[in-house]
Amino acid sequence: MTQEAAFTATIEKDQRIEPRDWMPDGYRKTMIRQIAQHAHSEIIGMQPEGAWITRAPSLRRKAILLAKVQDEAGHGLYLYSAAETLGADRGDLTRRLIEGRQKYSSIFNYPTLTFADVGVIGWLVDGAAICNQVPLCRSSFGPYARAMIRICKEESFHQRQGYELLMTMMRGTEAQRDMVQDAVNRWWWPSLMMFGPPDAESPNTAQSMAWKIKRHTNDELRQRFVDMSVPQASALGVTLPDPDLRWNPEREHHDFGEIDWSELKRVISGDGPLNAERIEHRRRADEDGEWVRSAAAAHAAKKQGVRG
Ligand code: FAQ
């Protein structure tokens, strides 16, 4: 059997491709692209909520938020390790991010204006992340699929903490309820954009589905997320900001309004509300951490020298 035939047979049998297995260059490139974008999203994604750690309204909320943001750092590092199994270099990936040569999720370019945004990120952003990532636990590349299992468990906890925070605020004052509704109004549409462009305009989906990297299309997952969110919104007592949102008994799904795709394009291409700030923050953190990385590398080299 040729190497290519062995690769195809592994995919067909729903088995995993492992780092030392032969794989087409395109598969390796696609996996590095997706895993790196995902890792960058986790690390940049620490910023919107991180901004509220010093302003959390109670010690309990502060401890929860601190733990969540730390989890996101862990997910990022875990994913960079998965990319390294494909021959990528972590420092190089970070440089590509800072220089705007690699993407991260559009959602993290929006501001967190009130503490209700922390709850809504947990509910909607982590909710969308779970919807997208649970099927990735069956993705064909072993290290990525295994990383997803652990990450999804933590994301479920993140989603519940967001929902619980919002329930608490909804039981509070009128002003708190207004704050929640305002945050939902601002985050709903960007959350739908997290799933990517519509299928007809998604250049990567067909090949990624054939390689079983992706298990569902962008539109399928977006629909799943809408269907999941509607009853949650009603239990919470908030309105989703879409006058066209209604149950369609024939399709057995919710119909929803047209997404502003020009906004997604703008945000992906670097012109969202906070793209420049997010990257500048990341660049500064990378520069500030340089001495730690050099010290760790020098220490490791010294220890190796002693052993050798
Ligand atoms: N933002 O052909 P497609 C989280 C890019 S969750 C920016 O459809 P594909 C947890 C796409 O990369 C967020 N770029 O692409 C958390 C491609 O670019 P390229 C991260 C986007 O790959 C929660 C181009 O547009 N999750 O971090 C977006 O088949 C709370 C054409 O698109 C993942 O990364 C977008 N929204 O499908 C953390 C999940 N959409 O390189 C903190 C894994 C598309 O060809 C707080 N990734 N693009 O120029 C995926 O499932 C896929 O990569 C998709 C895109 C579905 C995102």
Side-chain angles (χ1 to χ4, degrees), residues 62 76 96-97 163 184 188 195 219 230 232 236 241 249 253 271 276 284 304:
K62 191 186 183 103
R96 283 168 190 260
L97 168 70
Y163 199 74
V184 171
W188 174 248
F195 295 92
D219 286 334
V230 170
Q232 293 175 353
L236 202 53
H253 287 294
D271 194 19
R284 234 180 312 123
Q304 208 139 41

Side-chain angles (χ1 to χ4, degrees), residues 172-224:
T173 63
E174 195 65 38
Q176 285 176 306
R177 278 190 287 278
D178 289 348
M179 227 185 256
V180 173
Q181 183 62 58
D182 172 64
V184 171
N185 293 348
R186 286 181 288 106
W187 289 92
W188 174 248
W189 291 105
S191 299
L192 295 188
M193 294 176 199
M194 284 175 72
F195 295 92
D199 293 351
E201 287 160 43
S202 164
N204 299 305
T205 293
Q207 182 61 76
S208 288
M209 297 272 286
W211 277 330
K212 297 187 183 171
I213 294 171
K214 282 168 88 160
R215 295 300 190 136
H216 303 281
T217 71
N218 299 354
D219 286 334
E220 283 166 8
L221 293 172
R222 192 169 6 250
Q223 180 72 61
R224 191 178 284 188

Side-chain angles (χ1 to χ4, degrees), residues 254-306:
H254 291 87
D255 290 338
F256 54 98
E258 185 60 31
I259 293 171
D260 181 358
W261 296 117
S262 65
E263 177 176 326
L264 176 64
K265 278 193 193 130
R266 222 174 34 247
V267 178
I268 291 183
S269 64
D271 194 19
L274 288 177
N275 294 57
E277 286 84 344
R278 298 295 188 230
I279 291 295
E280 174 52 23
H281 187 106
R282 183 69 194 89
R283 190 187 59 73
R284 234 180 312 123
D286 188 55
E287 283 173 12
D288 289 350
E290 174 52 32
W291 72 271
V292 180
R293 292 192 299 276
S294 310
H299 180 67
K302 200 167 141 192
K303 266 179 77 175
Q304 208 139 41
V306 170

Side-chain angles (χ1 to χ4, degrees), residues 33-34 37-38 41-42 45 49 68 72 103-106 108 125-126 129 132-133 136 144 155 193-197 202-205 214 218 264 268:
R33 175 183 69 80
Q34 179 163 329
Q37 283 177 8
H38 196 162
S41 303
E42 296 281 358
E49 292 163 285
K68 180 182 193 282
E72 285 153 9
K103 298 185 170 77
Y104 60 94
S105 181
S106 52
F108 302 117
V125 176
D126 283 284
N132 168 267
Q133 287 167 33
L136 293 175
Y144 189 49
E155 305 279 35
M193 294 176 199
M194 284 175 72
F195 295 92
S202 164
N204 299 305
T205 293
K214 282 168 88 160
N218 299 354
L264 176 64
I268 291 183

